Amino acid sequence: MSDDLLGHTAWRGEGGEERIEFSQYLLHSYICSNLSTEDKEKNLYPDLVPTAKDLQEQREKDRQQYMNCRVPANKRYQPTEYEHAANCATHAIWILPSMVGGSVLYFLSVDKWHRVAALLYGSGLTGLFLTSTLFHTAAWKISHLRKVEERFHKCDRMAIYFFIAASYSPWLMLRELGPWTYHMRWLIWVMACVGSTYVFFFHERYKLGELLGYVTMGAVPALVILSMVDRAGVCELALGGVFYAVGVAFFKSDGLVPFAHAIWHLFVAVGAGIHYYAIWRYLYLAGPQPQTSR
């Protein structure tokens, strides 16, 4: 052991290289910059200069605060403390706004079908953010209770299917569409139930299959929506879909991009916000719409 001129302790690691606390590095650098040329040439204060290994280890330590290493496809990524907090916050902040938004649609309703659509959509939207927040909180704070965390995770994944179905319901119920409309109104909920059953029995077993299930359920009803006689709102629907699609890239980037899952949450929130705006403006604010037979 040796003491530097500041009274801080330095010690020798493997290979005999000098190591110091990186938090002292800036102060040490300042002192070194004020050493005389003669002192530098004599190398009188070797403890003041961190080695390349010191700097590399500190950079790795800083990186691990914001992102852990990527894991194999058959294992779950373990977020850092900062990532856990971000995962919770990025959906928790939308719970109350989604409840308010659903209530606004309900009070703007002009008939029972508008009210039913508002209840379905508001429940799906709020349920998505609520279950996501509960799961990520459980994964952060009670991950040692493996069974409890797993149940929250299943609920989180099931909520996505019902959210997709709820997002399409106002368009399928309140717009004049093609002949497939009537069937798609109930078929989309059958798809949500099938997807949820898959999650219940095969949770985390076939991750790619689960992802394809979400994509398929999001894409198939869109083909029916495109048959709308009134095209108002199509651009917003497409734009929201783009945000969801781009966000999937971050959903699959844990361990490659810091806070990847939290970024995915933000893309979901933006996509949901755009779709809410379209529903509010074109289906509720505009008043009664031409409707197909119930």
Side-chain angles (χ1 to χ4, degrees):
M1 302 289 289
S2 63
D3 291 333
D4 61 28
L5 81 171
L6 291 175
H8 296 299
T9 300
W11 55 280
R12 294 185 180 277
E14 295 180 2
E17 72 275 13
E18 293 289 347
R19 294 177 53 87
I20 62 172
E21 290 295 329
F22 190 77
S23 60
Q24 303 166 8
Y25 172 61
L26 292 179
L27 183 57
H28 291 167
S29 298
Y30 172 78
I31 295 175
C32 287
S33 66
N34 288 278
L35 291 176
S36 66
T37 303
E38 182 180 356
D39 287 339
K40 291 180 181 178
E41 290 177 351
K42 293 180 180 179
N43 195 24
L44 297 179
Y45 307 105
D47 290 348
L48 293 176
V49 184
T51 66
K53 185 177 180 180
D54 289 325
L55 299 178
Q56 179 62 31
E57 289 181 354
Q58 184 61 37
R59 281 193 291 267
E60 180 65 19
K61 183 178 179 181
D62 290 340
R63 185 193 67 80
Q64 290 177 354
Q65 294 182 29
Y66 305 109
M67 181 181 70
N68 281 326
C69 295
R70 190 165 177 81
V71 297
N74 61 337
K75 294 185 178 181
R76 281 181 57 188
Y77 174 76
Q78 295 299 321
T80 66
E81 286 292 303
Y82 288 114
E83 286 182 311
H84 272 306
N87 292 344
C88 294
T90 47
H91 268 182
I93 59 175
W94 303 111
I95 296 174
L96 183 58
S98 63
M99 295 174 65
V100 173
S103 300
V104 168
L105 297 182
Y106 184 84
F107 287 113
L108 287 175
S109 300
V110 296
D111 59 30
K112 67 176 183 179
W113 294 109
H114 279 76
R115 286 190 288 272
V116 171
L119 287 173
L120 288 174
Y121 178 63
S123 298
L125 187 63
T126 303
L128 175 77
F129 294 127
L130 179 60
T131 55
S132 175
T133 301
L134 290 175
F135 159 63
H136 286 293
T137 302
W140 183 14
K141 296 300 183 181
I142 57 172
S143 59
H144 57 286
L145 302 177
R146 185 61 180 160
K147 290 291 185 181
V148 176
E149 182 196 1
E150 183 179 357
R151 291 189 179 96
F152 275 115
H153 199 188
K154 287 182 178 180
C155 290
D156 174 52
R157 294 302 173 86
M158 292 177 183
I160 298 175
Y161 284 110
F162 287 101
F163 166 69
I164 296 173
S167 296
Y168 278 114
S169 290
W171 301 98
L172 296 172
M173 295 175 65
L174 305 177
R175 271 286 174 88
E176 181 70 37
L177 303 176
W180 271 93
T181 303
Y182 177 79
H183 301 289
M184 188 55 67
R185 286 178 193 151
W186 58 264
L187 182 59
I188 193 171
W189 291 101
V190 171
M191 294 170 66
C193 291
V194 170
S196 297
T197 303
Y198 176 87
V199 170
F200 184 83
F201 288 104
F202 303 105
H203 175 60
E204 291 285 279
R205 193 174 302 178
Y206 308 106
K207 293 184 178 181
L208 181 59
E210 195 169 328
L211 179 61
L212 290 176
Y214 294 132
V215 173
T216 300
M217 188 172 173
V220 171
L223 301 178
V224 176
I225 298 296
L226 291 177
S227 68
M228 289 190 300
V229 176
D230 182 357
R231 308 288 291 179
V234 170
C235 291
E236 286 85 348
L237 288 175
L239 181 60
V242 168
F243 273 92
Y244 287 130
V246 174
V248 170
F250 291 96
F251 178 72
K252 303 300 292 183
S253 296
D254 286 327
L256 295 176
V257 179
F259 298 100
H261 199 83
I263 296 173
W264 152 246
H265 280 184
L266 294 177
F267 273 91
V268 169
V270 173
I274 294 172
H275 282 179
Y276 175 86
Y277 169 78
I279 292 171
W280 168 77
R281 178 178 178 182
Y282 299 111
L283 299 181
Y284 284 83
L285 197 63
Q289 302 290 317
Q291 299 167 356
T292 57
S293 60
R294 303 301 179 189

